[in-house]
Amino acid sequence: MSGGQPDEAMEAARAVLTAEIRAAIRRATPQAVFPDAEFEADSARVAGWDPQETQSNDALLRASTEYLADRGWRVSPEATDSEDRSARIAKAGVGRGRLYAASRGLTYTGSVTPLR
C-alpha cells in the first residue's frame, strides 16, 4: 500500500467491504476461492470464483446482489452485450462500485467510502 497509512475509518470500511462482498460471493458459490483483496488509496478490488464452475454468470450475480440488497446495499443491474453480467452497487459508509460476473467468478471494483 502506498501513500501513507490509512486512518481507522478507512481500515474499518475496508474490512466491512471485504467481508460483505466475500459473503455475497460465498452465498452465490459456497466453495468460492478468494485471492487477496487489493486496496490502493480509496480504490478496492475484491474477487472470488467458483472452482467447480457450476453456475452461470447470471446466477452468480443474481444470488450475490440479492444477498447484498438484503443487507442495505443499493443494487442497479446493468445491461451487457455478452455472457458477462454486472451491477452497480453502493452502501453508505462502505463502498460504491461495480460487481461483475465473468468467467464464472465475481469481482467488485470501486471505491471504499468510509463515514467521516
Side-chain angles (χ1 to χ4, degrees), residues 44-106:
R45 181 179 184 281
V46 180
W49 65 90
D50 176 1
Q52 299 167 350
E53 297 185 356
T54 58
Q55 297 186 60
S56 68
N57 292 332
D58 187 58
L60 290 171
L61 188 68
R62 186 174 48 255
S64 61
T65 56
E66 286 173 359
Y67 177 89
L68 292 170
D70 287 347
R71 280 145 188 83
W73 287 77
R74 287 189 326 264
V75 175
S76 300
E78 299 179 309
T80 62
D81 60 358
S82 69
E83 290 183 17
D84 297 349
R85 298 290 180 259
S86 67
R88 291 274 182 192
I89 61 172
K91 185 175 183 180
V94 180
R96 167 174 288 137
R98 174 179 282 128
L99 183 65
Y100 61 93
S103 302
R104 307 299 187 260
L106 288 155

Side-chain angles (χ1 to χ4, degrees), residues 33-50:
V33 174
F34 299 104
D36 289 340
E38 299 173 15
F39 298 101
E40 181 66 37
D42 69 345
S43 296
R45 181 179 184 281
V46 180
W49 65 90
D50 176 1

Side-chain angles (χ1 to χ4, degrees), residues 1-22 37-46 73 93-95 108 110-116:
M1 198 171 316
S2 64
Q5 294 296 317
D7 62 23
E8 288 181 23
M10 179 64 81
E11 282 296 320
R14 286 176 176 174
V16 170
L17 176 82
T18 301
E20 290 195 12
I21 296 298
R22 285 183 173 171
E38 299 173 15
F39 298 101
E40 181 66 37
D42 69 345
S43 296
R45 181 179 184 281
V46 180
W73 287 77
V94 180
Y108 167 85
S111 62
V112 180
T113 56
L115 294 175
R116 301 277 178 189

